[in-house]
Amino acid sequence: MMTGRNWRPAALVAVVVVGLIAPFFVQDTYLRHLCIIAFIYAMVAASWDLSLGYAGVFNFGHIAFFGVGIYATGLSAKLLGVDPWIALLLGGVAASAVAAVIALPVIRLQGVYVVLVTFAFSQLVLQVVLSQSQVTGGSQGMVRVPTLWLPGYNFLRDYKFGYYYVGFALLVATTLALRRIATSDFGVSIRAARDSEDYAISRGIPIGRQRLKVLAASAFFAGIAGGFYVLYLRVASPEVFDFSTVSLVLSMVLVGGTSSIYGPVFAALLLTFVSEGLSNVDGLGVGRFILVAVLMVAILLYLPKGLASIFARR
Amino acid sequence: MSLDVISAILVSGLVLGSVYALMASGLSLVWTTLGIFNFAHGAFMTVGAYIAWTASDQAGLGYGLAAGIALSVAVMIGLGIVLERVVVRPFYGQRDFLLITVMSTLAAMIVLQKGTQMIWGARLKQLAPIVPGKATLWRTTISAQETLIIVLAPIVLIALQLFLSRTRTGRGIRAVGQNPDAARLIGIDVSRLFYVTFALSAVLAALTGILLGSVRLLTPQFGDDPLVKALIIVIFGGLGSLNGTIVAAYAMGLVEAALTYAIGIYWTPSLIFLLLILVLLVRPQGLLGKVTR
């Protein structure tokens, strides 16, 4: 036990240090781009783990929360002229607010109905984006979103140097915050509600309220990730709501291992590089999604707790 | 509102309702028997239609529509069995069976959808109609194929009901749905019936795809919209009862047709969803559902 406790912080510090110095060695723009995309996916996957893994809420609308963040940040920065940094925060707040509203019916439902309603919700967001094309750009996508800025520094310069560090900082902050939530009293209570609902209720845990809070919290980080995504790429299309995005991020959560936060983060970093690497192989542009799906089933079959279970203390 | 408008809404509502009923009945059947929600159901529909296209169309093998339908049904039976074996069966008895199978059938859906895209490409295709020409139903003229859909759907659904209530296999399927352990105890081959159920639902989906494949254009995402609609229908109707699902499917078709007329095609999905949320706030088990499972 003790040794396990001792190596963990050290390993994490090492990972953070590697992340901090990596851009000095990686000068290639495309590799840095992959890193930034991986950071974004890692934030989405890790925050999904909070509601799906820790709280056991069958939330399948998480990519829609990511999408709400994308469009809330993108539209407020582009059309309303909100400062991009504040727009980034708005993305998180909007996703969180939407999650709280959708939680109202969801916390009264059980089992498969939670899956169905959250899935239907993500389709609703897609439909709204498509139908309001004069605002959102519809199926053509949203273009020319402002970039992040700092006084005297242009984020488009230095081969994405600035975006790398903002993305990395957001990922570290998100991971720490999610771990903090998961290990707090609140985190313990949502795990209790997941593992033994009746017992949790009998011990006075307000299950509905806790689940609403956990959905709002997990959506907040997905929204921030969405906001950063659109400020970085400066374009967004409704394709992010596609079933293949859902299954890609879901496979990150599964491969990393649910209820660990760290697992999905590392799996997202790994899978982004694998998936993007495969997309450059001839004939695998579409086929890589099949490989990811097969990997997902294989993990469910042979390693239901994900890769994290290999390293976990037993 | 003139009679013409009412007629147009009723007829297009019936077409939509028939398609949704065929689609949702397969989902409901698998849910009551196996206890899983099959996200690959829409992909079954797509694959079924593409196979029929390949066998029948001049650009494919050119054997004609009858051969196309026959081949499609045969392949779908096989595909249904394979899918049950690979992404459902291994997970029986696990604690998070429902959640795991949602994810594994989602993965299966991705494989089928992207596989379709790789094999047939993204170019639009269209099946030949089973019956060509036009037909007029009480002031509204639609294609003969859409009329066929309206006529065929109740026949298929009644046949399904008769199969489930009159035949030995059908009764077995219902018994398994009610209590798998008891069914096994009285000598029912549960694992065979799981195969039968999955194959049957795959065939129902493919049939929907073949019927719709000459009305709409075939793309790898062909089954997505009907799947999402079927998903909303089973929330309304309650997953547990086939009759509830069918009633909800027709109701949904009519509501959608009326809303599309009243507020346009863009806002209709949002309003249907709003309606869904309101219904769930009052009746968490669905409009027609009973508390089960």
Side-chain angles (χ1 to χ4, degrees):
Chain A
M1 278 302 272
M2 281 312 288
T3 51
R5 272 181 199 287
N6 287 334
W7 68 261
R8 275 201 164 190
L12 286 172
V13 169
V15 169
V16 171
V17 169
V18 168
L20 282 176
I21 58 173
F24 294 100
F25 299 99
V26 181
Q27 302 286 349
D28 183 54
T29 318
Y30 179 65
L31 274 181
R32 282 190 187 164
H33 166 74
L34 282 190
C35 288
I36 297 168
I37 295 293
F39 295 159
I40 293 169
Y41 276 133
M43 289 166 71
V44 182
S47 57
W48 200 351
D49 190 23
L50 183 68
S51 54
L52 190 69
Y54 278 97
V57 177
F58 294 176
N59 162 27
F60 279 80
H62 202 68
I63 296 302
F65 299 144
F66 176 58
V68 168
I70 290 176
Y71 278 92
T73 299
L75 294 176
S76 59
K78 184 187 162 186
L79 298 179
L80 305 179
V82 176
D83 184 280
W85 292 102
I86 295 173
L88 180 65
L89 191 65
L90 275 181
V93 172
S96 198
V98 168
V101 171
I102 193 66
L104 289 177
V106 161
I107 55 174
R108 294 155 151 259
L109 301 172
Q110 295 221 316
V112 73
Y113 289 101
V114 177
V115 178
L116 299 181
V117 170
T118 48
F119 241 115
F121 158 73
S122 61
Q123 290 303 310
L124 169 84
V125 179
L126 171 64
Q127 292 296 340
V128 171
V129 168
L130 286 178
S131 64
Q132 300 307 299
S133 52
Q134 65 276 30
V135 181
T136 60
S139 55
Q140 303 287 317
M142 175 169 51
V143 292
R144 275 182 283 178
V145 176
T147 57
L148 283 176
W149 67 281
L150 282 175
Y153 182 75
N154 182 347
F155 269 77
L156 295 175
R157 287 176 52 221
D158 298 332
Y159 307 105
K160 306 178 191 293
F161 201 70
Y163 275 111
Y164 178 94
Y165 279 111
V166 175
F168 188 67
L170 284 174
L171 174 60
V172 171
T174 299
T175 310
L176 292 178
L178 286 168
R179 281 299 297 191
R180 182 80 190 238
I181 294 172
T183 51
S184 67
D185 286 352
F186 173 73
V188 173
S189 78
I190 57 172
R191 254 149 66 205
R194 173 195 69 188
D195 293 335
S196 177
E197 190 169 329
D198 294 338
Y199 184 65
I201 293 171
S202 74
R203 291 300 298 263
I205 295 172
I207 286 201
R209 199 192 303 160
Q210 302 297 76
R211 285 185 179 154
L212 188 145
K213 281 187 198 161
V214 86
L215 274 172
S218 113
F220 177 79
F221 296 105
I224 293 278
F228 180 64
Y229 173 93
V230 75
L231 290 173
Y232 167 58
L233 289 178
R234 305 187 62 202
V235 293
S237 83
E239 272 172 35
V240 292
F241 296 101
D242 196 68
F243 282 112
S244 41
T245 317
V246 176
S247 73
L248 180 66
V249 181
L250 192 57
S251 67
M252 291 166 180
V253 179
L254 289 176
V255 169
T258 51
S259 307
S260 63
I261 303 291
Y262 294 130
V265 169
F266 287 110
L269 299 179
L270 188 75
L271 278 176
T272 307
F273 279 90
V274 171
S275 163
E276 289 296 320
L278 286 173
S279 73
N280 296 326
V281 180
D282 270 349
L284 279 180
V286 176
R288 67 191 162 124
F289 289 107
I290 297 183
L291 292 178
V292 167
V294 170
L295 174 72
M296 196 160 123
V297 174
I299 288 282
L300 284 170
L301 277 174
Y302 302 112
L303 211 61
K305 294 224 150 91
L307 291 178
S309 63
I310 296 179
F311 303 108
R313 294 156 284 149
R314 286 168 203 276
Chain B
M1 219 185 329
S2 70
L3 276 177
D4 281 348
V5 171
I6 296 175
S7 156
I9 290 175
L10 277 180
V11 169
S12 78
L14 270 180
V15 175
L16 287 173
S18 306
V19 170
Y20 296 160
L22 284 174
M23 189 75 187
S25 60
L27 275 176
S28 171
L29 188 65
V30 165
W31 170 259
T32 40
T33 313
L34 288 90
I36 69 156
F37 188 87
N38 177 21
F39 270 97
H41 201 66
F44 277 160
M45 178 176 162
T46 313
V47 172
Y50 269 95
I51 290 170
W53 180 88
T54 302
S56 65
D57 200 87
Q58 288 305 323
L61 300 170
Y63 291 146
L65 202 56
I69 296 171
L71 182 71
S72 176
V73 168
V75 173
M76 292 318 286
I77 291 173
L79 192 61
I81 290 173
V82 168
L83 219 67
E84 200 275 343
R85 184 71 192 79
V86 177
V87 302
V88 181
R89 181 147 310 192
F91 304 114
Y92 266 105
Q94 293 197 9
R95 185 170 172 265
D96 288 324
F97 176 65
L98 174 66
L99 181 63
I100 292 172
T101 50
V102 164
M103 302 196 257
S104 65
T105 57
L106 190 67
M109 173 209 172
I110 295 291
V111 171
L112 290 176
Q113 194 184 76
K114 298 295 172 185
T116 304
Q117 196 176 335
M118 284 178 86
I119 296 171
W120 283 285
R123 255 180 63 196
L124 301 174
K125 299 183 173 28
Q126 194 162 32
L127 273 166
I130 298 173
V131 282
K134 303 242 173 244
T136 302
L137 288 183
W138 187 52
R139 291 163 176 260
T140 303
T141 303
I142 52 173
S143 67
Q145 176 83 4
E146 287 170 295
T147 318
L148 180 73
I149 294 176
I150 296 180
V151 177
L152 210 55
I155 297 176
V156 171
L157 294 170
I158 290 168
L160 181 65
Q161 289 284 16
L162 288 177
F163 168 73
L164 289 175
S165 57
R166 296 290 160 81
T167 67
R168 202 177 162 76
T169 310
R171 286 179 184 167
I173 288 175
R174 281 166 58 218
V176 173
Q178 283 159 15
N179 191 333
D181 293 332
R184 201 172 273 120
L185 275 176
I186 58 169
I188 291 174
D189 185 349
V190 174
S191 102
R192 187 181 71 91
L193 289 183
F194 282 171
Y195 284 141
V196 172
T197 308
F198 226 80
L200 187 61
S201 104
V203 169
L204 277 169
L207 193 68
T208 319
I210 293 168
L211 285 170
L212 204 59
S214 70
V215 181
R216 294 185 190 170
L217 294 166
L218 290 184
T219 67
Q221 287 82 35
F222 179 61
D224 285 8
D225 175 63
L227 176 76
V228 171
K229 292 287 161 53
L231 199 134
I232 294 177
I233 286 161
V234 292
I235 306 174
F236 268 122
L239 262 170
S241 106
L242 190 55
N243 288 333
T245 304
I246 292 169
V247 170
Y250 279 101
M252 168 91 156
L254 289 170
V255 167
E256 191 181 331
L259 283 178
T260 306
Y261 172 78
I263 58 170
I265 196 161
Y266 283 128
W267 278 112
T268 300
S270 315
L271 208 70
I272 287 178
F273 186 78
L274 198 68
L275 215 61
L276 181 75
I277 298 280
L278 290 177
V279 166
L280 285 175
L281 282 175
V282 185
R283 286 183 65 87
Q285 70 277 34
L287 197 57
L288 306 161
K290 292 191 254 330
V291 183
T292 45
R293 273 189 203 271

